[in-house]
């Protein structure tokens, strides 16, 4: 029997993929399932981007590229950051990677080790906590508060910093909550970080173009952070390119060689054709991406009040991304049992808030990257199902008891 390293037992997972597998299995059995579990746009990649990828292959771009990405792509990235945030960044500081996740993996590996502490948003993208544990570092949750629209409190975050803190992870607009951190809170955090010059910051801005009110404040607009800020961004969400596996990080000049060495040790470089498609995405027409955001805004306007109207649900209005994260404690069900029951019995896939950290308990995540008709049907199914439970209180008690059990590993 092969003997695994102890670290393997520390690695977590992303439950959205497990929900997707179960939803797909149920569909294969002939069940009608509305999948609001997985977080990806329900639109195809815009045609001009697909065409650029196809042309790149036809033109013979089938070999390795430089490990940090082809120069025209890195130039397109910095031009795009200039357009969006007014910042001037050298393409030398950009590392193109296979998906946004890779920047997060590299940053956490770079700073995490036993004895180190890394502060991360909770509820938050589950891979942060998983990879922090894998690195041997101690994950320190940064509470996001439902009462603050799932923002953090800067003073509270600054209070979590100890001499062992190496990295703070930020994510706005956030997954799973859709919460947006107000600029005033970011200002306070950045001002406070002046007292902690040894702490690096990774800002995950993968949903930065999916904002429904106001404008996105990128951490790249704070020059005082330039020497210690890692920006995580990519094409997956903005351009409906989750399966292309294309993302980028902007690194401080001193850290980029370390990140590049991690790339050379793991994936060498990103798929060449995907990189050409990435250029077309950032330099081509912006209407397809804008149309997608307009659709998400329309769906948000439907789903938030519709969820809020369900018995036992309370739903904060998400400022960005494409997730609603209602509080479901009023239903009397625990998050994980309710996730299972809604999938198995009502045919609606969602993800339990506990999949996003302990502070997600009492919530479910619904991705509203689905058609308006599908969203309406999902809400109707949940409403019918909840109504039935009211007539069968014994089921409710059973599920509540199950919720008291420790979560499955
Ligand atoms: N960061 C956040 C907050 C996400 O929600 C996701 C994907 O769901 C990612 C990063 C990873 O994106 P990618 O699919 O490009 O690796």
């Amino acid at each position: 029997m092969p003997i695994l390293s102890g670290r393997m037992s520390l690695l977590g997972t992303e439950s959205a993929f497990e929900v997707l597998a179960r939803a797909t299995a149920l569909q294969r059995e002939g069940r009608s399932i509305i999948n609001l579990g997985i977080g990806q746009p329900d639109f195809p990649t815009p045609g001009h981007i697909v065409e650029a990828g196809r042309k790149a292959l036809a033109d013979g771009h089938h070999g390795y590229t430089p490990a940090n990405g082809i120069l025209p792509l890195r130039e397109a990235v910095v031009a795009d950051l200039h357009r969006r945030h007014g910042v001037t960044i050298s393409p030398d500081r950009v590392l193109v990677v296979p998906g946004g996740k890779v920047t997060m993996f590299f940053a956490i590996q770079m700073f995490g080790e036993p004895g180190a502490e890394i502060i991360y948003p909770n509820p938050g993208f589950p891979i942060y906590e998983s990879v922090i544990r894998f690195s041997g570092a101690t994950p320190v949750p940064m509470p996001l508060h439902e009462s603050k629209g799932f923002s953090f409190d800067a003073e509270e975050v600054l209070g979590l910093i100890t001499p062992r803190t190496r990295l703070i992870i930020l994510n706005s607009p956030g997954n799973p909550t859709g919460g947006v951190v107000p600029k005033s809170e970011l200002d306070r955090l950045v001002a406070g970080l002046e007292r902690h010059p040894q702490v690096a910051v990774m800002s995950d801005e993968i949903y930065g173009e999916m904002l429904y009110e106001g404008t996105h404040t990128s951490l790249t607009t704070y020059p005082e952070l330039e020497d210690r800020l890692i920006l995580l961004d990519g094409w997956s969400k903005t351009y409906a390119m989750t399966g292309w596996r294309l993302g980028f990080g902007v690194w401080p000049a001193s850290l980029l060689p370390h990140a590049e060495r991690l790339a050379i040790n793991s994936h060498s470089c990103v798929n060449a054709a995907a990189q050409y498609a990435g250029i077309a995405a950032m330099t081509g027409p912006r209407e397809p991406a804008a149309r997608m955001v307009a659709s998400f805004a329309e769906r948000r306007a439907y789903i938030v009040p519709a969820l809020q109207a369900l018995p036992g649900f309370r739903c904060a209005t998400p400022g960005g991304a494409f997730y609603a994260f209602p509080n479901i404690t009023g239903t009397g069900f625990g998050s994980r049992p309710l996730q299972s029951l809604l999938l198995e019995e009502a045919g609606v896939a969602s993800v339990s808030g506990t999949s996003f950290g302990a502070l997600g308990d009492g919530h479910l995540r619904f991705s509203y990257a689905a058609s308006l008709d599908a969203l309406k049907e999902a809400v109707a199914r949940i409403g019918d199902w909840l109504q039935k439970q009211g007539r069968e209180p014994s089921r409710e008690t059973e599920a509540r008891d199950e919720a008291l059990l420790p979560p499955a590993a």
Side-chain angles (χ1 to χ4, degrees):
M1 185 75 174
I3 302 171
L4 286 176
S5 84
R7 282 195 311 153
M8 287 310 293
S9 65
L10 302 175
L11 208 48
T13 187
E14 200 183 335
S15 306
F17 283 99
E18 286 161 18
V19 171
L20 177 65
R22 180 68 189 141
T24 311
L26 288 171
Q27 276 166 334
R28 248 190 252 116
E29 288 169 16
R31 293 276 310 278
S32 156
I33 303 292
I34 301 175
N35 193 349
L36 308 184
I38 197 82
Q40 67 180 340
D42 56 320
F43 295 96
T45 305
H48 69 282
I49 302 176
V50 176
E51 190 44 44
R54 201 199 317 262
K55 182 171 181 313
L57 285 172
D59 289 350
H61 293 293
H62 54 258
Y64 291 123
T65 77
N68 56 346
I70 55 176
L71 181 60
L73 180 58
R74 288 181 289 113
E75 284 173 342
V77 165
V78 296
D80 194 59
L81 292 172
H82 186 266
R83 174 186 68 80
R84 287 159 59 199
H85 312 310
V87 293
T88 302
I89 292 171
S90 162
D92 293 346
R93 290 177 48 208
V94 175
L95 182 73
V96 177
V97 280
K101 257 182 189 167
V102 180
T103 300
M104 140 190 350
F105 194 83
F106 286 3
I108 295 170
Q109 291 304 317
M110 209 176 277
F111 293 105
E113 63 180 333
E117 292 175 1
I118 297 182
I119 299 173
Y120 72 102
N122 193 328
F125 191 51
I127 301 305
Y128 304 140
E129 183 178 342
S130 163
V131 179
I132 294 168
R133 288 190 192 284
F134 187 62
S135 76
T138 303
V140 177
M142 161 201 300
L144 300 183
H145 299 287
E146 187 180 350
S147 59
K148 289 172 72 86
F150 291 107
S151 170
F152 57 73
D153 178 292
E155 286 310 317
E156 189 180 10
V157 176
L158 291 165
L160 297 172
I161 297 176
T162 74
R164 292 177 296 281
T165 307
R166 296 269 181 86
L167 177 68
I168 298 181
I169 299 175
L170 304 175
N171 173 218
S172 174
N175 179 6
T177 65
V180 174
V181 178
K183 182 173 183 317
S184 53
E185 212 68 63
L186 292 176
D187 288 347
R188 272 196 285 277
L189 181 71
V190 173
L193 282 174
E194 272 180 44
R195 299 196 302 273
H196 306 282
Q198 78 289 1
V199 176
V201 177
M202 186 191 84
S203 182
D204 180 342
E205 300 183 16
I206 199 128
Y207 297 102
E209 295 218 63
M210 290 174 176
L211 209 74
Y212 308 108
E213 287 147 30
T215 51
H216 171 61
T217 303
S218 171
L219 268 281
T220 56
T221 57
Y222 294 88
E224 57 272 55
L225 286 184
E226 183 173 318
D227 292 345
R228 50 178 164 144
L229 174 72
I230 300 150
L231 171 71
L232 181 161
D233 207 334
W235 287 259
S236 297
K237 316 285 176 176
T238 311
Y239 302 103
M241 292 177 73
T242 49
W244 291 74
R245 307 314 299 139
L246 189 62
F248 68 87
V250 175
W251 295 79
S254 64
L255 297 182
L256 188 112
H258 298 283
E260 189 172 351
R261 199 166 320 152
L262 280 165
I264 292 169
N265 274 274
S266 51
H267 58 263
S268 298
C269 67
V270 174
N271 173 315
Q275 294 192 47
Y276 283 90
I279 298 174
M282 280 179 170
T283 60
R286 305 220 55 78
E287 288 73 25
R291 268 200 303 274
M292 243 178 351
V293 175
S295 297
F296 294 144
E298 192 188 350
R299 294 156 181 194
R300 183 187 80 134
Y302 163 71
I303 198 164
V304 173
L307 288 174
Q308 172 79 21
L310 288 171
F313 276 55
R314 184 177 75 220
C315 191
T317 302
F322 39 64
Y323 306 110
F325 198 60
N327 182 315
I328 50 86
T329 46
T331 64
F333 290 94
S335 311
R336 199 167 289 274
L338 192 58
Q339 169 201 299
S340 306
L341 291 166
L342 290 182
L343 177 57
E344 304 290 332
E345 299 186 4
V348 178
S350 61
V351 183
S352 165
T354 49
S355 300
F356 303 96
L359 302 179
D361 197 13
H363 294 79
L364 284 183
R365 187 191 80 172
F366 292 90
S367 161
Y368 54 85
S371 75
L372 214 42
D373 284 346
L375 296 178
K376 287 181 180 164
E377 172 65 18
V379 172
R381 286 185 188 186
I382 298 170
D384 288 349
W385 185 87
L386 283 169
Q387 210 176 19
K388 264 193 233 142
Q389 308 318 301
R391 291 199 293 270
E392 298 166 38
S394 59
R395 287 282 314 284
E396 202 173 310
T397 317
E398 217 173 85
R400 207 184 294 126
D401 290 347
E402 196 195 326
L404 297 175
L405 295 172

